[in-house]
Amino acid sequence: MKPLQLQQMQPQLDRNTCEYLTTGDGFYRQLIGFDGMLLHASAVIMDGWAYLFSAPSGTGKSTHTALWQQIFGEERARILNDDKPALRLENGRFYAYGTPWSGKTPCYINQRARVGGIIQLSQAHANKVRSLSLPEKYANMQSATSGLKIDHQMADYLHATIKHIISYACYAIGDSYRGQRGAIFERPNSNACNAVCYIVVCNFAWYNNISGIIATLNYCCQFSFSNYIVFYTIDGYLFGLCRSNAAQ
């Protein structure tokens, strides 16, 4: 879609915003076919390694990475991108790249660094860090990327990339949700166009078939999912991407 087309569809947006959104979408559609993805995160380079802090808008990603610069100095801790760094698998290793799509702040540099860790931030009364479980890693990564999952081919590309990246060190800081045995429900950015509203994670050990899973999820959520887009499996877990009635 071209900027002018988007502006005609959504006249409340100015030309610069339309250009920002359409170029970012076009870039992502190309990147995702080359073992890559954009992640909603603030990324900082420290001693040659990239650390990405992901969380919903308003949690404090930019504040957190700014503290790295305050404590370690801007020469040692550099902001790679403050909103949407690119990740790409190259020769068995993941690298983070700066991109010009950095949200509300022009904080980005045209560099890359090998990924040292991906951290899910949440606000809490005390500082604590823990490793994420496999279902949490997958759900967090799916939640932190765009709504291209409504396209089956794009969803397949994205799943293949995430399947590799969750082997990396993934942590949670704060009181982020711990997945229980039934399911994990994550709601990505509600402002994203055509976004998948929920990511469902189930352990096969508790369910015999797909219909049983769907019935349980409908009961747990207390409303019906009208469009299950696709299911994937990793190490005995079922990951379902779906839209709720509200997203229709």
Side-chain angles (χ1 to χ4, degrees), residues 132-207:
L132 292 174
S133 65
L134 185 147
E136 288 177 305
K137 291 179 184 180
Y138 191 91
N140 285 329
M141 292 298 294
Q142 284 280 9
S143 294
T145 191
S146 85
L148 293 175
K149 297 179 282 289
I150 62 171
D151 181 308
H152 281 210
Q153 184 179 41
M154 295 295 177
D156 289 344
Y157 283 142
L158 186 60
H159 167 74
T161 301
I162 291 177
K163 186 175 180 180
H164 285 290
I165 204 168
I166 59 177
S167 64
Y168 268 66
C170 295
Y171 302 97
I173 294 179
D175 294 324
S176 60
Y177 176 75
R178 284 179 179 269
Q180 302 302 317
R181 74 172 197 172
I184 294 175
F185 306 97
E186 294 285 345
R187 185 187 293 275
N189 184 355
S190 59
N191 294 322
C193 276
N194 298 318
V196 175
C197 286
Y198 281 88
I199 295 160
V200 181
V201 183
C202 298
N203 190 319
F204 271 119
W206 288 283
Y207 303 99

Side-chain angles (χ1 to χ4, degrees), residues 61-221:
K61 299 183 297 296
S62 299
T63 301
H64 186 85
T65 50
L67 285 173
W68 281 53
Q69 292 191 309
Q70 181 180 326
I71 294 171
F72 299 109
E74 294 185 9
E75 292 297 320
R76 186 180 178 193
R78 291 168 294 146
I79 304 299
L80 180 63
N81 182 281
D82 198 37
D83 192 64
K84 288 184 177 62
L87 294 174
R88 191 171 177 218
L89 179 64
E90 301 176 42
N91 300 317
R93 297 176 176 177
F94 267 98
Y95 290 86
Y97 288 79
T99 75
W101 298 279
S102 61
K104 299 175 183 178
T105 58
C107 296
Y108 57 87
I109 53 177
N110 186 22
Q111 292 185 17
R112 78 163 189 174
R114 190 173 171 187
V115 174
I118 300 173
I119 300 92
Q120 178 73 19
L121 286 180
S122 62
Q123 296 181 356
H125 295 293
N127 291 321
K128 54 185 177 182
V129 181
R130 66 179 178 84
S131 296
L132 292 174
S133 65
L134 185 147
E136 288 177 305
K137 291 179 184 180
Y138 191 91
N140 285 329
M141 292 298 294
Q142 284 280 9
S143 294
T145 191
S146 85
L148 293 175
K149 297 179 282 289
I150 62 171
D151 181 308
H152 281 210
Q153 184 179 41
M154 295 295 177
D156 289 344
Y157 283 142
L158 186 60
H159 167 74
T161 301
I162 291 177
K163 186 175 180 180
H164 285 290
I165 204 168
I166 59 177
S167 64
Y168 268 66
C170 295
Y171 302 97
I173 294 179
D175 294 324
S176 60
Y177 176 75
R178 284 179 179 269
Q180 302 302 317
R181 74 172 197 172
I184 294 175
F185 306 97
E186 294 285 345
R187 185 187 293 275
N189 184 355
S190 59
N191 294 322
C193 276
N194 298 318
V196 175
C197 286
Y198 281 88
I199 295 160
V200 181
V201 183
C202 298
N203 190 319
F204 271 119
W206 288 283
Y207 303 99
N208 296 320
N209 52 53
I210 295 294
S211 61
I213 292 171
I214 292 175
T216 302
L217 294 175
N218 288 341
Y219 175 79
C220 291
C221 293

Side-chain angles (χ1 to χ4, degrees), residues 1-19 21-22 190-194:
M1 182 181 296
K2 295 181 179 179
L4 183 58
Q5 292 174 307
L6 179 59
Q7 193 170 34
Q8 289 172 343
M9 294 171 60
Q10 300 190 44
Q12 75 277 13
L13 301 178
D14 60 35
R15 182 61 184 265
N16 288 337
T17 300
C18 291
E19 185 172 305
L21 294 173
T22 54
S190 59
N191 294 322
C193 276
N194 298 318

